[in-house]
Amino acid sequence: MSGTEVAGILVAVFWAILVSFLAVALARLAQTLKATTKLVADVTDQAVPLLADASQAVRSAQTQIDRVDAIASDVQEVTSNASALSTTVASTFGGPLVKVAAFGYGVRRALGGRKGEDVPAKSARRTVIVGRTVPAARRKRK
């Protein structure tokens, strides 16, 4: 056997080893691709019902938002009507009631000035501080 024949045999052995490694790598790659395909199919099978449920939830939420919007517009209309009614009542009855109250106060003062017992005794003035009442003697005089 000559050196070229030995070199040819070595190249053929290395070529066979290289082809074997490539065959093993391709077999593992094929297994990985099959597993990936199965995983994608499973995810798709599970995702489609979830997306349908999410779509239904969004539709339901939109319906509820439309209802809340209608309620809010009704509340706004009722508020504006109540404000207009309050303004009308205040302008209609406010002026005359103030005049009647002032007249009644004037009559009480006029009648109270003649009779001493009709005028209530002046009570000690109190100041309210954060939910407590402080007697007039404890307040600082200005």
Side-chain angles (χ1 to χ4, degrees):
M1 245 198 209
S2 69
T4 52
E5 290 176 346
V6 172
I9 291 174
L10 286 176
V11 168
V13 169
F14 286 126
W15 182 254
I17 292 172
L18 178 65
V19 168
S20 299
F21 282 134
L22 288 176
V24 169
L26 285 175
R28 288 187 179 171
L29 180 62
Q31 288 175 353
T32 304
L33 287 175
K34 284 180 186 178
T36 304
T37 303
K38 184 177 184 295
L39 178 66
V40 168
D42 290 344
V43 167
T44 302
D45 290 343
Q46 293 176 1
V48 169
L50 289 176
L51 289 175
D53 291 345
S55 176
Q56 181 61 31
V58 168
R59 281 192 213 102
S60 174
Q62 182 62 37
T63 302
Q64 296 301 325
I65 288 173
D66 291 342
R67 288 179 183 172
V68 168
D69 188 36
I71 290 170
S73 64
D74 291 344
V75 167
Q76 183 178 8
E77 184 178 340
V78 167
T79 303
S80 64
N81 289 344
S83 176
L85 180 65
S86 171
T87 303
T88 303
V89 168
S91 65
T92 303
F93 296 113
L97 284 177
V98 169
K99 291 177 183 176
V100 168
F103 178 74
Y105 178 74
V107 169
R108 279 194 312 256
R109 285 288 280 191
L111 294 177
R114 294 183 188 164
K115 298 179 181 178
E117 61 267 358
D118 286 342
V119 178
K122 229 180 183 184
S123 62
R125 193 169 170 192
R126 295 179 176 256
T127 303
V128 176
I129 300 174
V130 191
R132 294 186 310 161
T133 303
V134 178
R138 289 183 52 195
R139 285 185 302 172
K140 294 180 180 176
R141 300 281 182 189
K142 290 184 180 178

